[in-house]
Amino acid sequence: MPRGKSGAGGLGAGWRWLAAALLFALTAAAPPAAEPLPQPTGPVILVVSGAVAVTNSGRGAEFDRDMLYALGLTEVSTTTAWTDGVQHFQGVLLRDVLERVGAVGTTITGLALNDYRAPIPFEDAALYDVLLATVMNGAEMQVRDRGPLWIVYPRDAHPELQEPQYNDRWVWQLRELQVQ
């Protein structure tokens, strides 16, 4: 039976949400990754705390840049609400970080260096290629230009991500993800 064009793969947003919820329910029931998380050898640029099964410190799971890069790099090209034109980002997928630490929850709170905090629905990581970007337009991001990590949504690939409520989730100068 042919499907209409109601979204990616013929599925509407409601079906994508349901599929993402099912994926996370199945993932949550699975045992956490057995491989321990190594100790960072460079400066820690991200801490994942809260409902995580795999940690390497009393604060939770600490990552240096090389540990994040070992999860696999992804590129996203998209516009942002704060810059002109299409920007080219490189980093690791939020879902890969959450999977690596065995995170289970409903909300991820992104905390910035300046203590800005933004709740992010857990299902965003399954529905979209949400990036923890470390590179923008070929240059490694520094604190002065929204680094070392910036949560980036692929807003040009999904029209709903251009809605204003998603802008609050683009935490720059990210230092911690708290999983609840």
Side-chain angles (χ1 to χ4, degrees), residues 13-147:
W15 286 106
R16 286 193 312 250
W17 184 90
L18 181 60
L22 180 59
L23 171 69
F24 270 108
L26 293 172
T27 303
E35 187 176 327
L37 194 62
Q39 292 296 314
T41 57
V44 172
I45 62 170
L46 178 67
V47 175
V48 185
S49 64
V52 297
V54 180
T55 63
N56 60 1
S57 81
R59 297 190 315 164
E62 295 183 337
F63 289 87
D64 63 20
R65 190 174 305 276
D66 289 340
M67 291 169 67
L68 286 175
Y69 286 1
L71 298 176
L73 293 173
T74 299
E75 294 183 2
V76 169
S77 294
T78 191
T79 57
T80 82
W82 305 273
T83 58
D84 294 326
V86 174
Q87 307 300 312
H88 307 282
F89 296 98
Q90 187 177 32
V92 296
L93 292 173
L94 174 59
R95 78 173 68 95
D96 291 345
V97 173
L98 297 174
E99 181 180 315
R100 177 63 181 95
V101 300
V104 179
T106 58
T107 304
I108 305 152
T109 301
L111 298 171
L113 293 173
N114 67 356
D115 292 327
Y116 172 80
R117 59 183 55 232
I120 300 166
F122 208 85
E123 63 266 11
D124 281 8
L127 288 173
Y128 310 110
D129 286 343
V130 179
L131 197 66
L132 301 182
T134 57
V135 173
M136 181 171 146
N137 298 325
E140 197 169 86
M141 290 187 293
Q142 304 299 316
V143 171
R144 69 181 171 274
D145 54 14
R146 299 186 178 96

